[in-house]
Amino acid sequence: MTEVVHTPRVFSGIQPSGGLTLGNYLGAIKRFVSMQDSGVETIYCMVDMHAITVWQDPADLRRATRELCAGYIAAGLDPAKSTLFNQSQVSAHAELGWIFSCVARMGWLNRMTQFKDKAGKNRENASVGLFSYPALMAADILVYHATHVPVGEDQKQHIELTRDIAAKFNHDYGVDFFPITEPVIEGEATRVMSLRDGSKKMSKSDPSDKSRINMTDGADAIAQKIRKAKSDADGLPSDADGLKGRTEATNLVNIYAALADMSVDQVLADVGGKQFSEFKPMLADLAVAKLSPISTEMARLMQTPDEIDKILRSGADKARAIADPILAQTLDIVGMVR
Ligand code: AMP
Ligand code: TRP
């Protein structure tokens, strides 16, 4: 069999459930923008069908989808360069998702830590969709034959599952059709932690608003949350080794580095020896300088939701033009009569 070489194509998605956090920005969106600007083909989705694996109020879901699109654009994604759309407008995702539900094994899905975290103790009451979610995520990626997926560290396991699904499909049908996708998990903030508890991921679903910086927070809220963020009593070390075992200190330095586009060592070369009382205001100023233009632009874009909907519709048209032929070929491979 001749090996198919897939041209580089980037796909990623974020759930429109609740607002965007600094974790989403540094772990995902900021890197979506740099990949777009590197000239490779980029497709970025608002995965609304994933969002409803947990109940969403319909009006909130609509608003969160538009706000996520506004966030993408305000952060630097350009609808003329990247394909931006919401998942439910491209039905090929759901159709390929079903086929992949028949490829993925129960045992594989049983190992997914995100399901265990999200379902919590009451697993019997979790939706079936929450359990089978990774098969849909694999379809999101593979229906575009995407080769690279920028995500935060927490999504690594799902990308590995995507690779397993592609390999099993190719093997079971004797084809070399789906690419084995690479996760792109890089930068200084692949896992931004809660500002209140350095052992927990910063998340839009954390009950405490003080644990996270929201992309819509104003300058005062950002400064206050950083001032109150958990740190430790020691001063800042002058190199990364000195951060070992200091989870909260590490988190704040990582955030600074990612916002400033510097390495952790470069940051520490500048601020080593300072106390947190001095470093936190520097971090707050930097965060406000980087985030407030984005939140201002998001608010402006949200005033014309029709414009956002237009962008999503035309993005969906572009997405369908890629996804539909790949789905059709998949159906042929599987043996569906058309
Ligand atoms: P979600 O909000 O769960 O849909 O996540 C969307 C994207 O943001 C995924 O690529 C996540 O890995 C990334 N992400 C979410 N929270 C964080 C965090 N605290 N640190 C780094 N990346 C994150
Ligand atoms: N599972 C991702 C999350 O919870 C969201 C997602 C859905 C995704 N489909 C995707 C990310 C495809 C990358 C590629 O954050």
Side-chain angles (χ1 to χ4, degrees):
M1 197 174 8
T2 52
E3 195 169 325
V4 182
V5 178
H6 293 276
T7 34
R9 183 180 278 152
V10 171
F11 179 93
S12 196
I14 296 182
Q15 299 190 46
S17 49
L20 284 169
T21 70
L22 180 66
N24 295 132
Y25 176 63
L26 295 178
I29 300 178
K30 190 166 185 287
R31 294 166 45 249
F32 295 179
V33 176
S34 49
M35 293 185 106
Q36 164 190 277
D37 294 343
S38 77
V40 62
E41 181 180 3
T42 45
I43 305 172
Y44 298 120
C45 189
M46 290 121 254
V47 288
D48 47 8
M49 297 208 297
H50 282 278
I52 62 162
T53 56
V54 175
W55 159 258
Q56 304 292 327
D57 174 81
D60 291 347
L61 178 61
R62 262 188 288 274
R63 185 188 156 77
T65 302
R66 293 180 180 130
E67 192 175 84
L68 178 52
C69 185
Y72 278 175
I73 295 170
L77 292 180
D78 175 352
K81 292 188 192 156
S82 292
T83 300
L84 306 180
F85 70 104
N86 57 313
Q87 185 187 26
S88 59
Q89 295 205 63
V90 181
S91 60
H93 291 239
E95 293 177 57
L96 186 61
W98 175 256
I99 294 174
F100 285 169
S101 292
C102 301
V103 174
R105 307 288 92 184
M106 291 288 288
W108 299 358
L109 294 177
N110 272 327
R111 286 196 288 274
M112 295 297 114
T113 55
Q114 180 168 300
F115 173 74
K116 291 180 200 164
D117 290 347
K118 285 205 173 177
K121 290 200 175 64
N122 196 358
R123 251 185 240 184
E124 291 292 309
N125 199 36
S127 74
V128 175
L130 190 66
F131 182 73
S132 62
Y133 170 121
L136 180 60
M137 176 161 163
D140 298 338
I141 296 167
L142 293 173
V143 84
Y144 300 98
H145 277 185
T147 55
H148 294 84
V149 182
V151 278
E153 175 70 36
D154 61 320
Q155 294 302 314
K156 191 170 180 204
Q157 196 183 31
H158 289 158
I159 308 292
E160 278 161 7
L161 190 98
T162 300
R163 295 163 64 92
D164 291 343
I165 288 176
K168 183 165 166 60
F169 181 97
N170 288 345
H171 173 268
D172 289 357
Y173 291 101
V175 290
D176 188 3
F177 185 61
F178 287 115
I180 307 300
T181 303
E182 294 292 337
V184 184
I185 302 172
E186 28 184 62
E188 300 293 349
T190 56
R191 191 171 171 82
V192 178
M193 307 310 282
S194 156
L195 298 178
R196 310 300 291 184
D197 175 352
S199 68
K200 283 203 312 210
K201 188 183 79 153
M202 181 181 288
S203 159
K204 45 192 153 199
S205 56
D206 192 308
S208 163
D209 190 60
K210 297 197 177 73
S211 70
R212 63 178 160 264
I213 291 173
N214 304 298
M215 293 305 287
T216 49
D217 283 344
D220 290 346
I222 294 176
Q224 200 190 26
K225 286 175 180 179
I226 292 179
R227 203 166 349 109
K228 295 235 169 99
K230 219 171 148 195
S231 55
D232 58 32
D234 294 336
L236 286 150
S238 49
D239 61 34
D241 267 357
L243 287 172
K244 284 217 175 89
R246 298 171 63 185
T247 42
E248 281 89 10
T250 304
N251 190 38
L252 296 178
V253 174
N254 285 348
I255 292 173
Y256 190 101
L259 283 171
D261 288 310
M262 289 165 79
S263 72
V264 165
D265 278 321
Q266 281 170 327
V267 173
L268 291 175
D270 290 350
V271 302
K274 287 193 198 301
Q275 294 300 313
F276 276 100
S277 55
E278 210 179 328
F279 178 65
K280 281 179 171 179
M282 291 172 64
L283 176 58
D285 287 349
L286 176 64
V288 169
K290 295 284 179 177
L291 300 182
S292 52
I294 301 177
S295 65
T296 306
E297 179 62 5
M298 274 172 81
R300 192 187 69 77
L301 292 167
M302 282 300 278
Q303 283 171 358
T304 49
D306 290 353
E307 291 300 314
I308 295 180
D309 294 1
K310 221 192 274 171
I311 291 169
L312 293 175
R313 274 196 303 275
S314 93
D317 290 340
K318 286 201 278 173
R320 263 185 244 108
I322 304 172
D324 288 351
I326 292 178
L327 176 67
Q329 288 178 71
T330 311
L331 293 171
D332 288 342
I333 291 169
V334 170
M336 305 296 194
V337 174
R338 298 199 279 129

